[in-house]
Amino acid sequence: MAYTLTACDDGSGKTVGTIVRFDSVTLLIDPAWNSSTLSYSQCVKYWSNIISEVDIILLSQPNVDFLGAYSLLYYNFLSHFISRIEVYSTLPIANIGRVSTIDLYASKGILGPYETSQLELEDIEKSFDHITSIKYSQLVDLRARYDGLSFVAYSSGVNPGGTIWNITSNSEKILYTPQWNHTKDTILPGSGLIDTNGKPLSTVMKPSAIITNFEKFGSITPYRKRSHQFRDFLKERLKSHHSIMIPVDLGGKLLDLLVQINDFFYENSMEKRFHNIPIFIIAYSRGRILTYARSMLEWLSASILQTWSRRDNLSPFDFKNKVEVISPDQLSKHKGQKICFVSDVDILIDEVISKICTDDKMTILLTNTGPSEEPVLNSLNKYWLKSNSNDGRIVHCNYNMTVKKVNKRSLKGKDLESYTEKIQTRREQRKSLELQLRKEAKMNNKSLNLVVGSASKEGSSSLGATEGRIRGEEEEEDDDEDDDEDNLINMLGGGTKLSATKKDIPIDIIVQSDAASKHSMFPFTNSRIKKDDYGTISNFDMLIPKEESNTEQTLSEQNIKRATASKNSNDEEDGYYVEDPSNTSNSKKRKLNRKNEVIEEGFINIDNIDYLKSNYNPQKISTKSTNIQLKCFLTFINLNSLVDKRSTTIILPNLKPRNLILLGSDKSQDQNIKDVFLKRKIPIAEMKPNKPLEFNTTVKMLDISIDPELESLLNWQKISDDNTIAHLLGRLVKEVPSPNTDDKKDRLYERTKYVLKPLNDNRSSLLQAGSSLAIGDIRLTEIKRKLALAKHKAEFRGEGILVVDGRVVVRKVNDGETVVDGTPSALYDLVKQLVTDMLATI
């Protein structure tokens, strides 16, 4: 079978997506956009030539280097998504990915109340709501629809929800793993490629191809040691009364670093040190990532959850109001020591550095020295590399640096009217287009059902109608889940509205004259019950008495009015972030603090981003370059969770791939690692930008028969009730075609046959070469029965463990490995002999 791979390059000089084409389906994996040289319109133009071929999109990581182009694809090519394209990822990628996308788009001015905006905040939300969330090791079976296609997601161990895709189509199995990590870090377990014993999973063995790259690797230093180095750095800097700035990728290491800092403060809380140092998050998406993190604990390592469950049962992301979300303009109000996490997108880094990195009381910590699309970070990376310093060593920076400064001007008069009209027209056109596309998609499904189900009207039996209902069942389920959300809301509210597709399709019923009385009636169809991954969807509001519900609603309305009244003065003064009290829940008591933020039993509403809506304080933004005198300290600690070079050369070859396919430019690939794979005789294919590369898999089938003379010499051994086995050595001889076959055409289509004959026509062909091999099925229950007959006490103490007289243990590790543990004794020899007797030796 053949498949084709294409490495997408939109003109930015790097791979921004991978296209996998099979005969019946085309997959797009990780459509990215994070370029300072490629504009929004140029990116849309590039993908316009590709998206029409795509059937499925897979997302493997939650940062913009892997999904930056996804939302703009959904917005600009909505018809393809509504009618055809399905998107799959894990829940953390869908949640954290939208946060990363919001920061990227807002930094480029295509999202927000700006004159240059191209799409709405709601458009990004809808694009990620379109994603079908799956769990690790969950099989997505599309074989009936796409001719044998299925895929499974395994943990990559790099970012929360990060995925290694195992894509299967008939005889082809492709392993897509551009980034992965074999060891655990603070919050994540290791990669799903290997089991707890360090062995590769059988499901990922012998793939047709492994798609990866050799551009970026992790440190050989264990992550635990690097984590201790990070905490020592925090302790040293904070003792010296320094503030710390950490540029970080929201979809990458932010959550990991926050947990480490939370752990650091917890360890020092007994000595009451550093308890008054605030933690600031500066990002366009505010603190949304913390809100998502609190609901994704099941995706984290079990060890970190056990650790924090012993600490008053708190989550590792509960900071007790120590975390604040601010804008760069608010930094001047917060004097003294602080820890600032800054989203590493354009503009934000420049603004923060220009405000707080002009004195010697600030230390910048870099956790990644790779190339960045942010010029200031690139400049700091180069400065660090020139210093030739070891990780963790602190160097002093004192030089002129060019940064971008943003000027914002509120739109007024005709400019405001023109902008408002533009936004209103865009929203109306978008809404009309979406309604039309969804209506067309629904009508297409409905017409298919009607055409198939109307066969009984043409004069045949009821079989046609019944068949139509069966064939249309899949389309009905899709309609219920995708396009008729009002039905779900209606049902939860006690309504009885059903989908038109299910209600309006006529069904002919024919009752035979000889049918039993219980069949002489119209069929009764139960209404469909809405369910999700956790069970039946319930409306818990029905359990609340009306009086109590009305009382809570009245209290909530009063709180909202007080919050709105107290916020009016500060909204105009500080227009970067605006709280929306209408989004708060009614279920808990609330109060207002001095900063006019709504507090909910210790939780500050830090995830409201309504200020990015297009109609909120429309502005015209412009940037200009300015020089600042950078005065600060700089250090680097590698906190990336990536596999190191040595482990790559050990683990990947053990998967025994048929091909190794490298993404990225030839110059960026590590040549030493490539040589290791070539020595192992694993072919390497390097993808050229936008040039399809076809791979053909040749499968040969041979008909081999055993010569009667050799068969008479075989010594068959029974290994189970239905299977026997024998060992043999022979020579393979090609069978001569029958002389009676005169027709050349018959000879042409006759399959070549081979015969296995004895070596030298004697019994020496049956001699075993090398060590013996024991084959069979070890049944612990049978061993226990035999030991009981021999007056020994044998009992099971756990799954797959049999303990004999408390001295010998028989442990079944897996189907192919059984271990007998114990001190040398007569009992040990007896148990070992019983195990050996159940095997056949060849």
Side-chain angles (χ1 to χ4, degrees):
M1 182 177 179
Y3 60 94
T4 304
L5 299 179
T6 305
C8 300
D9 184 356
D10 56 6
S12 57
K14 56 185 179 182
T15 302
V16 294
T18 304
I19 296 178
V20 182
R21 290 185 179 91
F22 297 103
D23 292 338
S24 59
V25 62
T26 299
L27 290 79
L28 172 60
I29 311 177
D30 294 341
W33 176 53
N34 184 21
S35 174
S36 58
T37 59
L38 192 75
S39 67
Y40 171 83
S41 58
Q42 289 174 325
C43 184
V44 173
K45 182 179 180 181
Y46 170 78
W47 289 108
S48 64
N49 301 321
I50 298 175
I51 197 66
S52 60
E53 306 174 10
V54 177
D55 300 300
I56 294 174
I57 294 179
L58 304 179
L59 306 176
S60 65
Q61 298 295 336
N63 42 26
V64 294
D65 289 332
F66 293 86
L67 51 72
Y70 168 64
S71 288
L72 66 86
L73 288 178
Y74 183 88
Y75 178 79
N76 289 279
F77 309 104
L78 182 63
S79 61
H80 295 288
F81 283 85
I82 291 180
S83 63
R84 184 184 72 259
I85 298 179
E86 299 177 358
V87 187
Y88 295 90
S89 76
T90 58
L91 179 63
I93 292 179
N95 287 340
I96 302 177
R98 77 178 71 202
V99 171
S100 302
T101 303
I102 288 171
D103 263 49
L104 173 67
Y105 287 12
S107 69
K108 293 183 177 296
I110 63 174
L111 172 68
Y114 309 128
E115 196 177 33
T116 57
S117 67
Q118 299 289 335
L119 66 166
E120 305 281 339
L121 182 62
E122 184 183 13
D123 297 323
I124 295 180
E125 301 284 5
K126 286 183 177 180
S127 67
F128 283 92
D129 290 341
H130 182 76
I131 295 175
T132 301
S133 297
I134 62 175
K135 301 178 177 64
Y136 288 145
S137 301
Q138 175 186 345
L139 176 66
V140 180
D141 191 350
L142 303 176
R143 289 175 290 186
R145 188 184 308 177
Y146 294 117
D147 190 22
L149 177 69
S150 63
F151 46 85
V152 181
Y154 296 102
S155 172
S156 66
V158 178
N159 299 312
T163 298
I164 295 173
W165 291 106
N166 185 10
I167 305 169
T168 304
S169 180
N170 294 324
S171 61
E172 302 295 345
K173 181 167 66 175
I174 298 176
L175 209 61
Y176 179 84
T177 169
Q179 285 190 356
W180 60 289
N181 178 33
H182 62 300
T183 60
K184 65 179 182 179
D185 57 16
T186 306
I187 63 175
L188 297 177
S191 167
L193 290 179
I194 53 180
D195 57 20
T196 55
N197 296 322
K199 297 181 180 179
L201 295 180
S202 59
T203 54
V204 299
M205 289 290 292
K206 298 182 179 180
S208 303
I210 295 179
I211 303 177
T212 185
N213 66 74
F214 296 152
E215 295 180 340
K216 192 174 182 180
F217 296 95
S219 173
I220 59 174
T221 305
Y223 192 85
R224 179 176 296 181
K225 186 174 182 179
R226 287 180 278 153
S227 178
H228 284 304
Q229 189 179 19
F230 172 62
R231 299 185 190 190
D232 293 341
F233 161 78
L234 291 175
K235 190 173 184 179
E236 177 189 352
R237 291 287 92 185
L238 295 179
K239 274 187 176 181
S240 302
H241 303 286
H242 274 239
S243 295
I244 300 172
M245 171 188 166
I246 307 177
V248 65
D249 180 7
L250 296 187
K253 298 300 296 181
L254 176 60
L255 294 180
D256 186 289
L257 296 178
L258 283 174
V259 171
Q260 291 196 51
I261 286 184
N262 199 3
D263 198 36
F264 171 79
F265 283 134
Y266 181 86
E267 292 174 352
N268 289 275
S269 62
M270 304 300 295
E271 302 177 6
K272 296 184 179 180
R273 293 187 300 180
F274 316 128
H275 63 279
N276 59 345
I277 297 177
I279 302 172
F280 295 141
I281 294 179
I282 303 175
Y284 289 107
S285 58
R286 306 199 66 210
R288 262 199 174 192
I289 190 169
L290 285 179
T291 304
Y292 288 134
R294 294 186 182 100
S295 62
M296 299 186 303
L297 298 181
E298 67 272 15
W299 294 85
L300 306 183
S301 172
S303 60
I304 187 68
L305 299 180
Q306 292 174 0
T307 299
W308 282 93
S309 65
R310 295 191 295 266
R311 300 175 179 179
D312 301 329
N313 199 28
L314 294 177
S315 161
F317 302 107
D318 289 331
F319 289 85
K320 297 182 179 179
N321 297 337
K322 185 177 286 291
V323 173
E324 297 184 41
V325 176
I326 63 174
S327 69
D329 295 334
Q330 295 173 324
L331 280 171
S332 57
K333 301 178 184 178
H334 299 276
K335 304 296 183 181
Q337 286 183 277
K338 49 190 171 289
I339 299 176
C340 299
F341 287 97
V342 187
S343 178
D344 61 349
V345 294
D346 203 5
I347 305 300
L348 279 185
I349 295 290
D350 297 55
E351 288 190 274
V352 173
I353 285 184
S354 62
K355 292 183 181 298
I356 64 176
C357 294
T358 55
D359 59 57
D360 290 333
K361 287 297 182 179
M362 175 62 63
T363 302
I364 300 177
L365 170 65
L366 302 178
T367 60
N368 181 13
T369 57
S372 172
E373 293 296 333
E374 218 292 325
V376 171
L377 288 182
N378 270 334
S379 177
L380 293 174
N381 286 334
K382 292 178 181 178
Y383 189 91
W384 169 259
L385 294 175
K386 288 181 180 178
S387 66
N388 294 323
S389 301
N390 297 325
D391 290 7
R393 183 175 177 272
I394 299 174
V395 298
H396 186 260
C397 297
N398 188 357
Y399 68 97
N400 288 325
M401 175 181 285
T402 301
V403 298
K404 294 178 182 177
K405 186 176 181 181
V406 180
N407 295 320
K408 299 180 180 179
R409 178 177 62 84
S410 297
L411 296 178
K412 298 179 180 179
K414 293 183 179 180
D415 293 338
L416 180 59
E417 292 178 2
S418 176
Y419 173 82
T420 304
E421 182 180 357
K422 167 191 166 184
I423 296 300
Q424 185 66 24
T425 303
R426 185 174 69 189
R427 288 180 176 179
E428 292 177 355
Q429 292 177 350
R430 183 69 178 180
K431 184 177 181 180
S432 175
L433 174 63
E434 185 171 354
L435 289 175
Q436 180 183 355
L437 291 174
R438 293 194 181 278
K439 184 177 180 180
E440 291 176 356
K442 184 188 297 185
M443 292 300 296
N444 290 337
N445 290 337
K446 186 183 296 185
S447 63
L448 178 62
N449 295 341
L450 289 172
V451 168
V452 178
S454 61
S456 59
K457 287 186 176 183
E458 299 295 332
S460 59
S461 67
S462 62
L463 178 62
T466 306
E467 184 179 356
R469 292 175 58 193
I470 295 174
R471 293 182 182 177
E473 185 176 354
E474 183 177 353
E475 284 78 2
E476 284 186 26
E477 291 177 356
D478 293 340
D479 286 346
D480 286 344
E481 294 174 358
D482 296 337
D483 56 63
D484 206 354
E485 297 177 358
D486 293 339
N487 287 352
L488 176 58
I489 298 174
N490 220 334
M491 292 172 65
L492 292 179
T496 58
K497 181 180 178 181
L498 297 175
S499 64
T501 304
K502 183 176 180 180
K503 181 178 178 181
D504 296 340
I505 293 180
I507 301 175
D508 293 344
I509 301 298
I510 296 179
V511 179
Q512 302 296 335
S513 58
D514 56 346
S517 59
K518 64 180 180 179
H519 295 152
S520 301
M521 62 183 69
F522 289 98
F524 173 75
T525 304
N526 291 322
S527 60
R528 180 171 297 162
I529 299 176
K530 290 291 181 177
K531 295 182 179 180
D532 59 10
D533 293 341
Y534 301 96
T536 304
I537 299 176
S538 303
N539 181 14
F540 294 101
D541 293 338
M542 295 186 298
L543 306 177
I544 302 176
K546 292 184 178 180
E547 296 180 358
E548 182 180 350
S549 177
N550 294 335
T551 303
E552 290 185 354
Q553 184 176 1
T554 303
L555 292 174
S556 177
E557 291 175 354
Q558 293 175 359
N559 288 336
I560 291 173
K561 290 179 180 179
R562 290 199 303 269
T564 306
S566 62
K567 281 164 47 58
N568 288 338
S569 58
N570 285 350
D571 284 351
E572 297 180 358
E573 176 185 16
D574 193 351
Y576 197 84
Y577 296 122
V578 176
E579 299 290 351
D580 184 5
S582 62
N583 286 348
T584 57
S585 174
N586 301 341
S587 59
K588 296 182 180 180
K589 296 181 179 180
R590 300 175 180 276
K591 62 180 180 179
L592 298 177
N593 68 348
R594 298 177 182 176
K595 299 179 183 179
N596 299 327
E597 292 177 314
V598 181
I599 298 181
E600 180 184 88
E601 293 186 357
F603 172 70
I604 302 178
N605 183 12
I606 58 176
D607 62 344
N608 189 297
I609 55 175
D610 285 348
Y611 80 98
L612 287 176
K613 291 184 176 180
S614 298
N615 58 352
Y616 177 82
N617 190 18
Q619 299 172 339
K620 182 177 182 179
I621 58 174
S622 60
T623 60
K624 67 176 183 179
S625 298
T626 182
N627 292 328
I628 64 169
Q629 185 68 26
L630 183 68
K631 291 183 179 180
C632 65
F633 291 89
L634 178 68
T635 189
F636 165 73
I637 300 176
N638 190 342
L639 294 174
N640 284 328
S641 296
L642 292 174
V643 66
D644 58 84
K645 296 182 179 180
R646 178 178 177 273
S647 299
T648 301
T649 58
I650 295 175
I651 298 175
L652 289 187
N654 285 338
L655 299 181
K656 300 179 181 179
R658 195 177 303 152
N659 291 289
L660 187 68
I661 302 172
L662 300 182
L663 302 174
S665 61
D666 299 344
K667 297 180 181 179
S668 61
Q669 309 296 333
D670 191 292
Q671 187 60 43
N672 294 329
I673 298 182
K674 289 168 58 178
D675 293 340
V676 172
F677 283 85
L678 293 176
K679 290 180 181 178
R680 299 285 293 269
K681 296 183 179 180
I682 298 177
I684 296 178
E686 298 186 18
M687 301 296 298
K688 304 297 181 182
N690 299 322
K691 292 184 178 180
L693 188 60
E694 185 175 354
F695 295 85
N696 292 305
T697 302
T698 303
V699 179
K700 293 184 178 180
M701 298 181 64
L702 302 178
D703 288 339
I704 301 178
S705 59
I706 299 178
D707 186 79
E709 183 181 356
L710 179 61
E711 185 177 7
S712 63
L713 302 176
L714 297 182
N715 181 22
W716 294 97
Q717 301 181 66
K718 187 175 182 180
I719 60 174
S720 66
D721 294 337
D722 301 323
N723 299 294
T724 55
I725 191 170
H727 179 269
L728 61 86
L729 291 176
R731 53 192 177 94
L732 198 62
V733 179
K734 185 176 181 181
E735 189 179 55
V736 179
S738 174
N740 298 328
T741 306
D742 298 329
D743 193 348
K744 294 182 179 180
K745 185 176 180 180
D746 292 342
R747 291 187 179 184
L748 179 63
Y749 291 100
E750 184 180 6
R751 177 176 292 179
T752 303
K753 296 183 179 180
Y754 295 86
V755 178
L756 196 62
K757 295 187 176 183
L759 293 176
N760 301 325
D761 295 330
N762 54 40
R763 291 180 176 267
S764 62
S765 60
L766 301 178
L767 296 178
Q768 183 173 346
S771 59
S772 61
L773 178 64
I775 298 178
D777 183 21
I778 303 297
R779 295 186 295 275
L780 297 183
T781 54
E782 181 67 17
I783 295 177
K784 179 183 177 182
R785 187 186 66 81
K786 293 181 179 180
L787 289 171
L789 295 176
K791 307 301 181 182
H792 291 284
K793 183 181 179 181
E795 57 184 352
F796 288 103
R797 294 183 182 177
E799 185 177 357
I801 298 178
L802 180 65
V803 180
V804 184
D805 292 346
R807 293 184 293 163
V808 179
V809 175
V810 183
R811 185 172 68 255
K812 197 169 183 179
V813 179
N814 51 51
D815 293 339
E817 184 177 359
T818 302
V819 179
V820 180
D821 289 334
T823 56
S825 61
L827 177 62
Y828 178 83
D829 295 336
L830 173 63
V831 175
K832 189 173 180 180
Q833 185 62 40
L834 290 176
V835 174
T836 304
D837 291 342
M838 301 183 72
L839 301 175
T841 303
I842 59 173

